[in-house]
Each structure stands twice: as structure tokens, then as C-alpha cells.
Amino acid sequence: MNNSFLTSIGLENIDVGILLIIMSVIILILLVLNILNMCSISKLKKTYKKFMQGKNAKSLEKEIMGLFEDNKFMKSSIESNKKDIRILYKKFETTFQKIGIIKYDAFNQMGGKLSFCLALLDENNDGFILNSVHSTEGCYSYTKEIENGTCKISLGDEEQKALNIAMGVAE
């Protein structure tokens, strides 16, 4: 069957049945795509209705502006907190963080271990050692300054042990 339309577009040798089958397949594909689009539009409409429930343009704008203000407030709070944390870390470097204590009997008396050496150091191993010596005549306390984990004055055995404990040095 010759058709003048098919002849004019250069398809005079194609069977009309095959052409109808091809067009039917294309129509079916387009129909399936159309149904898929309608389903996705339906989902979008449901989501939009849920989002806009009880709101109009002005209330939605007000809510968005509120969120924007909250966001600005949180950013400024975060910056303030970062600054405060930096200050705290700076102060924390110079606080006593390391402690070592040794109790001992200074004069091998019957009174027990009432004497002690207390080492207090900061992050940089700077601080002091407090040595409290207890005897039958009284109690005497001495301090020795520690810089970078060392003392300019010689340390007694108990003082050195307390310092090592504070610095975490194994004996």
C-alpha cells in the first residue's frame, strides 16, 4: 500500500503495520513516563502541603527570618565559645596538672610516715616541691622551685621520687 505522505518523506518502502507497531511502542513508553511523572508530582504535592500546612506566605517568611536570626545567633555564640576555650587553654597551661607525693619517715622514729614530699607541676614541668619534715620537736616545711623538670638546688631521694612521679618518669 503506497501512501503519498510516506512517499513525500522518503519512507515509501516501509510497511504501514511496522510503522504502527513502532508508534504504538513509543506511545506506550510515553504513557509509562507520563504515569511516573504524575506519581512524582503527587508526592511533591503531598510534601508541599505538609510543609505549608497552616502557613501562608507571610508566616512562612517570618519563620524563615526567625531561622536566619537563630543561625546568626548561633554563629556568634560559636565564635564567643571558641575565644573562651582559647583563653581557658592558655590559662590551663600554667595550672598545676601533675602531682607526685611520697610519704616517708624522716628520722626512722616510731611515729610512722608523717613526713612527705609533694611535687606540683604545670604542663611545662614548672612548679615546686613542698617537703614537710615531721620530727618529735616539730614540723618543718621547705619548698624548692622546679623549672622544666629540674631544680637548681639538689634534691633529696624522696623529693626526686615525688618529682619523677609527677613527671611520669619510671624509676
Side-chain angles (χ1 to χ4, degrees):
M1 182 171 179
N2 286 337
N3 189 337
S4 60
F5 174 72
L6 292 176
T7 306
S8 65
I9 59 173
L11 299 174
E12 66 272 350
N13 295 332
I14 292 184
D15 188 18
V16 176
I18 293 175
L19 189 61
L20 286 175
I21 291 174
I22 292 173
M23 289 182 69
S24 297
V25 169
I26 291 174
I27 289 173
L28 186 64
I29 291 172
L30 289 175
L31 184 64
V32 168
L33 290 175
N34 194 19
I35 290 172
L36 290 175
N37 281 336
M38 287 171 54
C39 288
S40 93
I41 287 172
S42 174
K43 286 180 186 178
L44 282 174
K45 280 184 180 179
K46 286 179 186 177
T47 306
Y48 177 75
K49 282 182 182 180
K50 188 183 281 187
F51 177 71
M52 293 299 289
Q53 189 173 17
K55 297 178 180 130
N56 57 28
K58 286 191 186 272
S59 66
L60 188 60
E61 181 182 357
K62 192 183 298 181
E63 193 167 321
I64 290 172
M65 291 303 291
L67 291 172
F68 180 72
E69 291 299 320
D70 289 347
N71 192 17
K72 283 189 348 186
F73 173 74
M74 289 177 68
K75 282 182 180 181
S76 66
S77 294
I78 288 171
E79 288 305 315
S80 175
N81 289 342
K82 283 181 182 179
K83 181 182 171 190
D84 291 343
I85 289 170
R86 280 192 290 273
I87 290 169
L88 288 173
Y89 274 130
K90 193 69 175 162
K91 287 182 180 181
F92 191 64
E93 288 177 358
T94 59
T95 60
F96 294 125
Q97 303 172 26
K98 303 173 185 177
I99 299 170
I101 189 166
I102 294 289
K103 291 183 74 170
Y104 64 98
D105 188 0
F107 301 106
N108 296 324
Q109 299 171 343
M110 298 297 282
K113 295 183 175 183
L114 298 176
S115 302
F116 67 90
C117 289
L118 174 66
L120 296 172
L121 303 175
D122 66 8
E123 187 178 286
N124 301 316
N125 290 330
D126 294 335
F128 65 89
I129 294 178
L130 174 66
N131 190 354
S132 180
V133 180
H134 182 76
S135 70
T136 54
E137 291 110 33
C139 183
Y140 305 96
S141 297
Y142 306 96
T143 59
K144 294 181 180 177
E145 188 177 359
I146 305 297
E147 291 179 4
N148 293 322
T150 59
C151 183
K152 294 179 183 175
I153 303 170
S154 64
L155 298 175
D157 289 341
E158 292 82 8
E159 293 169 330
Q160 187 63 52
K161 285 179 185 176
L163 181 62
N164 288 345
I165 290 171
M167 292 191 321
V169 177
E171 294 184 26

